[in-house]
Amino acid sequence: MSYFDRLKKMVSAFLPGAASRGGEPGETDSGGVSGLPNIHVLATGGTIAGGRAEAGAGTVYTAGVLGVEALLAAVPAVRAIANIGNEQIVSVGSQDMDESIWLKLARRVNELLARNDIDGVVITHGTDTLEETAYFLDLTVKSDKPVVLVGAMRPAHAAGTDGPANLFDAIVVASSRDSAARGVLVAMSGNVFEARDVTKVSTTASQAFAAPNFGPLGQVHDGRVIYWRRSERASAHRINFDISGLENLPPVGIVYGHVNAPALLVKTLVEAQYQGIVSAGVGNGNLYYKVLGALADAASRGIAVVRSSRVAAGPTIRGVELDDTRYGFAAAGTLNPQKARVLLQLALTRTRDAGEIQKMFDYC
Ligand code: ASP
């Protein structure tokens, strides 16, 4: 089918009375064009679905008020690229993302990608915790088909909103065969990032995401994705965690390092029976001596301790200024504290052994 015919088909999909192909309960689809990939868009809320809280020209808005149909209506041109199904999973600001939503989302993505009639999944998400959801899915989705997360920094009503452009790009990325077997991807501001390295680096700029250690995997331009490199971590050696039988995840907290940091926060997590603690330490994951003492005590009680760093880039390496073997700690490598927390939660569903946990951090 020519591009022109596809455009005609796309326009007719928006005319009143256009047929809906439907699917499972909760799914909608505007009808398939053969030869185009079938991409399913799962919406979770965020600024990409943000609307004005009250009349006025200010920047005040509420995340997650627009439904997935409204998001897709803003990007009609995607109908020439893919057959789009859609589903609203939740409608939250991603500051309210939680583990029950993660489990629901990961199960749904696994179900969808196991189907022959689905070629890829796009997930719309708030930007605040997008990187954590992306990494959680990266470790729990059992498919090589593309999974692409996308958000926006400006709500739909704002001048220069970035939501439609980012969503268009995400659908382009999910529709490309080149996107297969790269792990979960994030499409933001024309860049494609791997879930493991991507992080939010600005509270307000529209170029809010970066991959501080290794840079983007590729770029999207004019409806085409071009990859510059492949991540070794997305390879077959990667551990995939089975979440099918889980109702929740082990509790893991993060303690932030700073001058004269108290041991109190570590002790509080121990008393609250957390199973793991990630330290966002200083420099190469170093620890103020009082915090070191409290973490060593926690590890001796069987709590898993992982050293990461509050520094934006570079690995936290074992045994440089601190003897991890002596204290029973693991080192996070290039995972930032919030991603180390995700991996530690999943690792703890399998083991509490510090050596085994270190191996998972070495592989994932
Ligand atoms: N607080 C919003 C959220 O994470 C911010 C955004 O999406 O940009 O849902």
Side-chain angles (χ1 to χ4, degrees):
M1 183 180 273
S2 70
Y3 182 73
F4 181 68
D5 288 337
R6 281 191 262 144
L7 271 179
K8 272 206 307 201
K9 170 94 187 170
M10 162 198 117
V11 170
S12 66
F14 281 89
L15 294 176
S20 173
R21 187 173 66 174
E24 291 182 359
E27 293 177 22
T28 56
D29 196 312
S30 60
V33 176
S34 71
L36 292 188
N38 297 321
I39 303 300
H40 208 73
V41 178
L42 302 177
T44 69
T47 293
I48 193 167
R52 196 168 272 153
E54 57 202 37
T59 53
V60 178
Y61 69 95
T62 306
V65 295
L66 299 178
V68 61
E69 305 267 1
L71 304 189
L72 287 166
V75 283
V78 296
R79 306 278 169 176
I81 291 168
N83 300 313
I84 307 290
N86 70 69
E87 200 172 327
Q88 193 77 40
I89 297 290
V90 285
S91 295
V92 295
S94 74
Q95 56 270 47
D96 290 326
M97 188 51 59
D98 65 28
E99 289 148 9
S100 68
I101 304 174
W102 275 357
L103 291 169
K104 179 178 175 185
L105 192 56
R107 284 191 187 114
R108 187 65 184 132
V109 173
N110 277 323
E111 260 169 35
L112 288 166
L113 294 183
R115 281 167 44 179
N116 291 333
D117 61 343
I118 304 269
D119 299 304
V121 165
V122 167
I123 300 166
T124 61
H125 198 289
T127 61
D128 292 353
T129 62
L130 184 147
E131 65 191 83
E132 286 158 79
T133 301
Y135 190 48
F136 179 75
L137 294 173
D138 197 41
L139 294 170
T140 55
V141 166
K142 297 176 196 298
S143 173
D144 280 346
K145 293 178 187 173
V147 177
V148 186
L149 276 85
V150 62
M153 291 299 289
R154 296 181 184 174
H157 66 273
T161 179
D162 49 338
N166 287 343
L167 180 56
F168 181 82
D169 286 354
I171 290 171
V172 167
V173 173
S175 301
S176 167
R177 285 190 189 170
D178 277 359
S179 300
R182 292 181 182 272
V184 169
L185 301 168
V186 171
M188 288 294 292
S189 331
N191 286 310
V192 186
F193 299 103
E194 62 178 309
R196 189 182 190 283
D197 197 24
V198 69
T199 191
K200 189 171 184 179
V201 293
S202 170
T203 53
T204 51
S206 37
Q207 291 272 356
F209 284 79
N213 291 295
F214 309 113
L217 295 177
Q219 279 156 350
V220 197
H221 186 67
D222 244 356
R224 204 171 145 226
V225 57
I226 299 167
Y227 288 101
W228 305 115
R229 66 179 184 86
R230 189 169 273 285
S231 168
E232 289 293 322
R233 295 296 178 124
S235 74
H237 306 300
R238 162 66 81 45
I239 299 166
N240 188 273
F241 292 89
D242 181 11
I243 44 105
S244 53
L246 296 180
E247 274 168 26
N248 46 44
L249 295 170
V252 172
I254 299 177
V255 291
Y256 201 87
H258 54 87
V259 167
N260 209 22
L264 179 74
L265 299 179
V266 174
K267 288 182 182 160
T268 304
L269 292 176
V270 173
E271 275 163 26
Q273 300 189 320
Y274 271 51
Q275 290 181 31
I277 301 175
V278 172
S279 157
V282 295
N284 183 5
N286 290 316
L287 301 165
Y288 187 55
Y289 74 94
K290 289 183 183 167
V291 176
L292 173 59
L295 286 173
D297 180 57
S300 73
R301 294 165 189 245
I303 295 167
V305 175
V306 174
R307 286 191 310 110
S308 180
S309 174
R310 68 178 192 173
V311 180
T316 300
I317 299 175
R318 264 188 96 77
V320 177
E321 290 189 58
L322 197 155
D323 187 348
D324 291 288
T325 306
R326 171 177 162 202
Y327 295 113
F329 297 164
T334 51
L335 286 178
N336 68 21
Q338 56 272 32
K339 298 224 187 134
R341 176 179 174 275
V342 173
L343 177 54
L344 184 53
Q345 286 188 289
L346 287 166
L348 284 167
T349 64
R350 289 197 183 178
T351 182
R352 292 182 89 139
D353 180 81
E356 290 301 311
I357 289 171
Q358 182 63 67
K359 275 192 213 153
M360 293 184 195
F361 275 83
D362 293 344
Y363 274 113
C364 298

